[in-house]
Amino acid sequence: MVSALAMGQQKPLCFFTCILLALGSAMAQSKTGQLDQFMQQYHNHQLFNGNVLIIEKGNTVFSKSYGLASLEWNQAHQADTKFRIGSLTKQFTALLIMQLKEQGKLDLHHKITHYLPWYPKEIGDQITIHHLLTHSSGLINYTNQAAAIDDINTHAYSPDEIARKYCVSPLEFEPGTQFRYCNTGYFLLGVIIETLTRKRYVDVLRENILQPAGMTHSGMDSPEAILTNRAEGYSYTFDGFAHASYINPATATFSAGGMYSTVGDLSLWQKALSEDKLVTKENKAIMFTPNRGNYGYGFYINRLPSGQPGQVTTVIGHNGSISGFSSSMLRYLEDDILVILLDNTRAERRGNLENITLGLVHILLHKSGVPLVESMQVAITERVHKSSGADLIAYYKTMKAQKSVYDVSRAESILIDLGNFLAQQGRINDGHTVLQFATEEFPSSSGCYSAYAALLVKEGQLRAAKAMYQRALELNPVNEQAVIQLKALQP
């Protein structure tokens, strides 16, 4: 029997417990509201369109969809919408390599010719598996060659055929001496996986990662695949949103960027990694050891000041982009916060998903807010049809002077795109003005000179165009467009 005294003590305990629960619920709702408001402003400013998932200490604290998966059908994103994830694929490829290491089928420090006997020895004998994993191989990035991607997308090549045709090139630097992000290395890793397992990459991926992790909404994508709840991919042009250009991820980017997934499946991937479910703790430690460029195997590992004396914040993750899509998955290690962002409008071309993640984390940790930084491209798009080239340049200079308000970090590519857009609209003089200014603003940019030269060719200014292409080639000896056009301009 409960005594009267005991019963008398239960009431205030229950009362205070209810108060604490109510306060906790109110605080959670308040934080959820802040996170939603923060994301909504980015969506409203055309800087994010997709799904966000935040997990803190193993619990989902925020999950929401913003915008449309299909603009034509007015179909909203759902929690299980499938997105192409681009270079987030690299961490899956890296883990498959580590599994082969565990099985004794592969040595990280063997030369790649040991696994690909057909690879030219004068190049392959200098490159190790470790070099491919850490973007220190010195190989040229095949995805920077427009002709290569066009060829791959219009032919039914196998990964082995693509590797033999486009992943063999002279070295840009001695392997192991520099970090230079390179899709070529991760494409070759996929070919090595297929060679050693005698299976297709997609099957090895499914059997060794996706099924063990319970990732039932992920896989390798292709235009032919019938996927429920698939997001369409869009680009943001100076005319607004448009369908992204065609690409076949299964072949064009393969093991370097060919996967699709959902925010939920990616959280399962992270969970499997944290539980040492897919690879041993020792091999996972190798994956998460930073090398040049703070890059491990398939992950960036950045250690940043935390704001507290003597303490750091370790941020582990990656971003991805592929025609029509952007992705970001970052884990704040000490705070045990995971933020996943999947977007179907190539948002990183006009904004910064990492800045969005930082703002969300600051809200969770009750730190000072991260102000929204507006997009230079969106701002120009709003006035491109009513302003001259000179006026647009003046506006760009105004934005450049307000770096705390506008993101001008991609000004080089945006000015090139703007100049080309104006010329395509028949506004040749405005396009000329913008592209000439781009070469002055970015005098070390081979791309700016190539774009300006192409317009000079259309204008019939062949001597000036030749000089611009020559300058582009001086700045970048492997500028494919400059090489081809200079040959065409020879008398």
Side-chain angles (χ1 to χ4, degrees):
M1 181 179 293
V2 180
S3 69
L5 178 60
M7 290 180 64
Q9 290 175 338
Q10 285 180 336
K11 290 185 179 179
L13 179 61
C14 179
F15 174 76
F16 285 119
T17 299
C18 292
I19 290 293
L20 289 173
L21 288 173
L23 286 173
S25 176
M27 290 175 65
Q29 290 175 2
S30 175
K31 190 176 290 186
T32 299
Q34 291 177 55
L35 294 168
D36 184 29
Q37 184 178 16
F38 182 81
M39 288 304 307
Q40 191 65 52
Q41 67 174 341
Y42 273 90
H43 175 64
N44 292 343
H45 282 79
Q46 311 286 9
L47 292 170
F48 184 76
N49 188 84
N51 286 355
V52 55
L53 175 65
I54 305 175
I55 295 176
E56 184 177 19
K57 295 180 173 58
N59 299 310
T60 298
V61 295
F62 187 74
S63 177
K64 192 165 181 180
S65 302
Y66 297 86
L68 301 176
S70 171
L71 298 183
E72 299 92 312
W73 296 96
N74 198 36
Q75 179 183 345
H77 284 298
Q78 305 294 328
D80 60 351
T81 297
K82 298 179 179 71
F83 296 77
R84 291 176 178 174
I85 62 173
S87 286
L88 293 190
T89 304
K90 289 181 172 66
Q91 54 201 258
F92 294 86
T93 298
L95 189 125
L96 292 175
I97 289 290
M98 297 307 288
Q99 289 178 339
L100 290 172
K101 173 185 176 295
E102 284 187 6
Q103 296 163 16
K105 296 179 180 179
L106 177 146
D107 188 312
L108 297 175
H109 301 289
H110 274 172
K111 307 302 183 183
I112 64 173
T113 45
H114 185 80
Y115 306 103
L116 303 174
W118 56 264
Y119 205 90
K121 288 182 66 64
E122 66 275 13
I123 301 171
D125 280 353
Q126 301 180 61
I127 302 171
T128 66
I129 300 294
H130 173 79
H131 292 148
L132 297 182
L133 286 163
T134 57
H135 299 291
S136 60
S137 68
L139 290 168
I140 293 172
N141 194 344
Y142 80 99
T143 55
N144 289 343
Q145 304 172 51
I149 296 301
D150 289 343
D151 182 33
I152 292 168
N153 278 330
T154 53
H155 292 85
Y157 295 132
S158 69
D160 186 75
E161 289 173 324
I162 294 170
R164 291 171 186 259
K165 191 171 184 178
Y166 291 114
C167 295
V168 177
S169 67
L171 297 176
E172 293 188 288
F173 55 85
E174 180 185 347
T177 63
Q178 297 182 40
F179 170 86
R180 191 170 300 175
Y181 193 86
C182 182
N183 288 306
T184 307
Y186 272 79
F187 196 104
L188 286 173
L189 289 170
V191 175
I192 289 170
I193 290 168
E194 291 196 334
T195 301
L196 292 179
T197 62
R198 298 183 180 181
K199 295 180 178 180
R200 296 185 307 160
Y201 175 91
V202 61
D203 296 326
V204 181
L205 173 70
R206 182 177 60 252
E207 293 168 9
N208 292 276
I209 296 180
L210 302 184
Q211 289 179 347
M215 299 172 65
T216 57
H217 300 294
S218 304
M220 291 293 286
D221 198 10
S222 71
E224 294 79 21
I226 304 298
L227 298 176
T228 58
N229 298 327
R230 177 208 289 269
E232 294 287 343
Y234 301 93
S235 58
Y236 185 82
T237 73
F238 291 106
D239 268 334
F241 288 109
H243 265 290
S245 57
Y246 173 86
I247 190 169
N248 185 343
T251 54
T253 54
F254 184 47
S255 52
M259 286 180 64
Y260 69 86
S261 192
T262 65
V263 289
D265 264 21
L266 290 175
S267 71
L268 292 175
W269 155 246
Q270 288 288 326
K271 184 174 185 291
L273 269 181
S274 66
E275 295 175 347
D276 304 326
K277 188 174 182 178
L278 302 171
V279 72
T280 64
K281 186 175 296 185
E282 292 74 20
N283 281 312
K284 190 172 72 172
I286 297 173
M287 290 183 67
F288 292 133
T289 298
N291 300 278
R292 293 181 183 274
N294 294 323
Y295 202 88
Y297 291 175
F299 295 89
Y300 285 96
I301 302 100
N302 290 299
R303 295 189 172 98
L304 310 172
S306 69
Q308 300 295 326
Q311 296 183 12
V312 297
T313 295
T314 307
V315 183
I316 299 175
H318 214 288
N319 55 16
S321 63
I322 192 169
S323 184
F325 295 86
S326 298
S327 58
S328 175
M329 182 164 56
L330 298 177
R331 179 182 290 279
Y332 285 67
L333 196 61
E334 287 78 13
D335 299 303
D336 197 6
I337 295 173
L338 172 67
V339 180
I340 303 171
L341 299 170
L342 299 180
D343 165 273
N344 67 323
T345 63
R346 199 69 184 270
E348 102 292 342
R349 291 290 296 271
R350 60 190 183 278
N352 189 328
L353 296 187
E354 292 179 9
N355 194 58
I356 296 177
T357 295
L358 181 62
L360 294 169
V361 170
H362 274 221
I363 292 172
L364 289 173
L365 299 179
H366 304 288
K367 292 185 177 181
S368 57
V370 177
L372 178 140
V373 180
E374 296 191 42
S375 166
M376 169 186 164
Q377 183 182 0
V378 173
I380 288 177
T381 298
E382 292 175 348
R383 59 179 64 200
V384 68
H385 290 291
K386 54 187 177 184
S387 302
S388 67
D391 288 339
L392 292 170
I393 290 171
Y395 187 46
Y396 157 71
K397 291 178 178 178
T398 299
M399 289 187 285
K400 182 181 176 182
Q402 303 178 63
K403 290 184 178 180
S404 62
V405 178
Y406 292 96
D407 178 6
V408 295
S409 62
R410 295 169 180 78
E412 177 186 334
S413 61
I414 291 174
L415 287 173
I416 291 173
D417 291 344
L418 175 61
N420 289 334
F421 172 79
L422 293 170
Q424 290 164 4
Q425 296 292 305
R427 298 169 58 181
I428 302 296
N429 290 338
D430 285 335
H432 184 109
T433 299
V434 170
L435 290 175
Q436 182 178 23
F437 171 75
T439 64
E440 298 164 356
E441 182 76 349
F442 299 99
S444 299
S445 167
S446 177
C448 287
Y449 283 97
S450 287
Y452 186 32
L455 182 56
L456 290 171
V457 169
K458 292 180 180 179
E459 292 179 302
Q461 300 186 47
L462 302 187
R463 181 178 297 179
K466 185 176 180 180
M468 291 297 105
Y469 277 129
Q470 287 173 334
R471 180 57 181 153
L473 202 58
E474 290 172 7
L475 292 168
N476 179 13
V478 295
N479 184 318
E480 179 186 24
Q481 182 188 14
V483 171
I484 295 172
Q485 293 303 321
L486 277 173
K487 289 181 180 178
L489 290 171
Q490 294 300 325

